[in-house]
Amino acid sequence: MITRRLFLGAASLAALSGCTSLSSRETPRTEPVKPRLQTMPAAYGPITDEPYPIEAVPRGVVPKRFWRQRVPNPFPNEAPGTLIVDPGTFYLHLVEEGGTAMRYGIGVGRQGFSWSGNAVVQYKRKWPRWKAPDDMVARNPSLAPYSVANGGMDPGPLNPLGARALYLFQNGQDTLYRIHGNPEANSIGKAVSSGCIRLLNHDIIDLYDRVRNGAKVVVKQAGMPASMA
């Protein structure tokens, strides 16, 4: 004889089994799979021994192909110590001895697309001052305090030249072309509105220590994106 207690107990079990099983007409619900962000190498962690702190590069911002890495040298006709800048691929290579090169991801600004040819690293600076060119100030008068005449912008984490800068000259004349750091990790691998050749601050520090004054620089020609023309 089925008692009321047994009946209620069986009903409860039936209800529970209905939450954990599927009929032949039901489709299981699945949560969308979020992409797993790759852990950045330790070389892109926070830097605390500089005059100004440099934050770690966030995960998921810079694609792995633009991380600093040693690769087979794609420019065997260039001497070790030569810098090859290719704005079209967003890569900078430093040719090494032994058939290898250090490759860095770059962001390329308007000035970075507008000049190509051979040059030399005339000099390099740690935590340089940034001086807005006169034509830039003419387009944006709010930059007047940072003009050449006013001495430029003080060094610091928000300075457009970042932690280091290499100054390129051709036949003794300043090309106004710079290879420099920058605090905007999301600009690497992209065409950006201003500047020349941007590297992560972590990478420009590494490159600065490897490059000598007078080093040859080859800047390959690349078409400027229509959005920047």
Side-chain angles (χ1 to χ4, degrees):
M1 184 175 179
I2 299 176
T3 66
R4 178 177 175 80
R5 180 177 296 176
L6 288 173
F7 178 82
L8 292 175
S12 298
L13 289 174
L16 288 173
S17 67
C19 291
T20 58
S21 64
L22 297 168
S23 72
S24 60
R25 291 175 295 179
E26 291 179 314
T27 303
R29 294 183 179 179
T30 58
E31 293 294 330
V33 178
K34 296 181 180 179
R36 188 173 182 180
L37 300 180
Q38 293 177 307
T39 301
M40 298 294 294
Y44 290 118
I47 299 177
T48 58
D49 58 354
E50 287 281 323
Y52 307 94
I54 297 174
E55 296 181 354
V57 178
R59 291 194 303 165
V61 175
V62 181
K64 186 175 181 179
R65 65 183 181 277
F66 294 122
W67 297 356
R68 180 200 325 160
Q69 58 182 300
R70 180 167 280 111
V71 298
N73 177 24
F75 307 101
N77 295 327
E78 297 292 348
T82 302
L83 283 171
I84 314 291
V85 180
D86 189 348
T89 62
F90 299 99
Y91 284 131
L92 180 154
H93 289 81
L94 172 62
V95 178
E96 298 179 318
E97 299 277 1
T100 61
M102 285 299 295
R103 188 180 74 188
Y104 305 83
I106 60 176
V108 185
R110 182 184 298 273
Q111 293 88 341
F113 283 109
S114 63
W115 186 88
S116 61
N118 293 350
V120 298
V121 177
Q122 187 76 6
Y123 57 91
K124 50 186 187 174
R125 293 287 185 267
K126 295 182 178 181
W127 294 102
R129 299 184 69 82
W130 175 68
K131 298 178 181 179
D134 291 342
D135 60 341
M136 185 180 291
V137 174
R139 293 194 304 269
N140 187 353
S142 67
L143 296 177
Y146 310 121
S147 67
V148 175
N150 288 324
M153 180 185 288
D154 291 338
L158 299 181
N159 186 295
L161 292 181
R164 304 285 191 275
L166 311 180
Y167 296 77
L168 275 56
F169 279 54
Q170 185 181 57
N171 300 322
Q173 299 295 316
D174 189 353
T175 65
L176 301 180
Y177 202 93
R178 310 288 186 252
I179 299 172
H180 59 87
N182 90 100
E184 299 174 341
N186 62 356
S187 68
I188 302 302
K190 299 176 183 176
V192 292
S193 60
S194 62
C196 289
I197 300 299
R198 303 181 177 192
L199 283 75
L200 294 168
N201 275 326
H202 299 69
D203 285 346
I204 194 64
I205 290 172
D206 181 86
L207 180 64
Y208 180 99
D209 291 337
R210 297 176 187 272
V211 174
R212 60 176 177 81
N213 286 331
K216 178 183 176 182
V217 182
V218 178
V219 180
K220 293 187 169 294
Q221 189 171 20
M224 186 180 296
S227 60
M228 298 174 64

